[in-house]
Amino acid sequence: MSVIILARRAALLGLALALSGCFGSAPPVPKEQYFRLLASSDPAPVANPLSGIVEIPPFQAEGVMGERPLLFTQDNGLKLEQRNYAYWTDPPPAMLRDQLIAFLRATKLADQIVPSELRVGAQYRVEGRIKRLEQIDGPANGGAIALELALIDKATDSIIASGTYEVTKDAGGPNIDDAVHALNAGLNEIFARFAADLDQRG
């Protein structure tokens, strides 16, 4: 075997070892993470419950607000970006609606509180819209959530109570987990305020 062939083989072997070293040192791809928001299971019961059935459709949400990737902002919501590899377990319109049903059931707001898909003869409807649901990334780490909520009398199509509820909570840390905990605290604060407004309806 000639010296030239041996030299070529040695060079190829060196190149292969160098390439394997480069690929071996590449950082691992982050694993996908899934998060959910959970309503409190022990809210204060209302003193002035409704008589009848309340139905709640999925919340309305425009654009990226209704998508599963978690959102973050570094300039107070003027620019939103989606987190890579971090998702809500369900689309926010369905997830928040389901949690509001659980929360209002726990407050004993009405005889029954059901998703609108059941198509029962409900006397009332709660309409919701997601305005903000995002991690605040930067020097002031936190979570911002804003919802528009309204209770409507279906017989007259009139609004009984409504409001825009916005809460920003300190996350206590820069991680996504910290932001989700902050958003969960904000969600429960909003639900409690909405239930209190329904309890004080005229």
Side-chain angles (χ1 to χ4, degrees):
M1 186 177 293
S2 69
V3 175
I4 294 176
I5 293 176
L6 288 174
R8 285 178 178 173
R9 287 185 176 180
L12 290 173
L13 178 61
L15 178 61
L17 290 173
L19 289 174
S20 66
C22 291
F23 289 125
S25 63
V29 175
K31 67 177 182 178
E32 292 183 343
Q33 301 178 78
Y34 298 88
F35 300 89
R36 62 165 56 96
L37 299 178
L38 296 174
S40 170
S41 60
D42 190 28
V46 299
N48 184 24
L50 294 162
S51 178
I53 300 174
V54 177
E55 68 176 14
I56 309 181
F59 287 10
Q60 300 176 53
E62 302 295 334
V64 294
M65 299 306 304
E67 297 178 4
R68 288 182 58 206
L70 270 68
L71 298 173
F72 73 95
T73 180
Q74 294 178 323
D75 55 7
N76 199 33
L78 294 178
K79 177 183 177 182
L80 292 174
E81 298 182 56
Q82 292 181 330
R83 283 286 182 205
N84 294 324
Y85 308 105
Y87 304 92
W88 297 115
T89 54
D90 297 292
M95 178 178 63
L96 297 190
R97 184 278 303 270
D98 292 346
Q99 294 310 309
L100 180 58
I101 288 175
F103 187 92
L104 294 181
R105 281 176 177 171
T107 67
K108 305 187 185 317
L109 174 71
D111 299 331
Q112 294 184 61
I113 301 171
V114 299
S116 60
E117 293 88 336
L118 292 184
R119 299 187 181 279
V120 299
Q123 288 72 44
Y124 306 94
R125 181 177 73 254
V126 171
E127 292 282 355
R129 179 185 294 273
I130 303 170
K131 305 295 289 183
R132 294 189 72 181
L133 182 64
E134 66 230 31
Q135 176 187 8
I136 299 173
D137 194 10
N141 297 295
I145 178 169
L147 305 176
E148 289 182 0
L149 299 168
L151 176 68
I152 298 169
D153 186 326
K154 292 187 64 177
T156 61
D157 207 28
S158 59
I159 296 176
I160 299 172
S162 67
T164 298
Y165 306 87
E166 184 165 5
V167 174
T168 300
K169 289 286 188 181
D170 181 15
N175 298 325
I176 299 177
D177 299 64
D178 300 321
V180 171
H181 284 298
L183 287 169
N184 204 81
L187 179 73
N188 280 284
E189 183 175 321
I190 286 174
F191 284 176
R193 287 164 54 188
F194 181 55
D197 287 346
L198 298 183
D199 204 13
Q200 297 170 9
R201 68 190 183 278

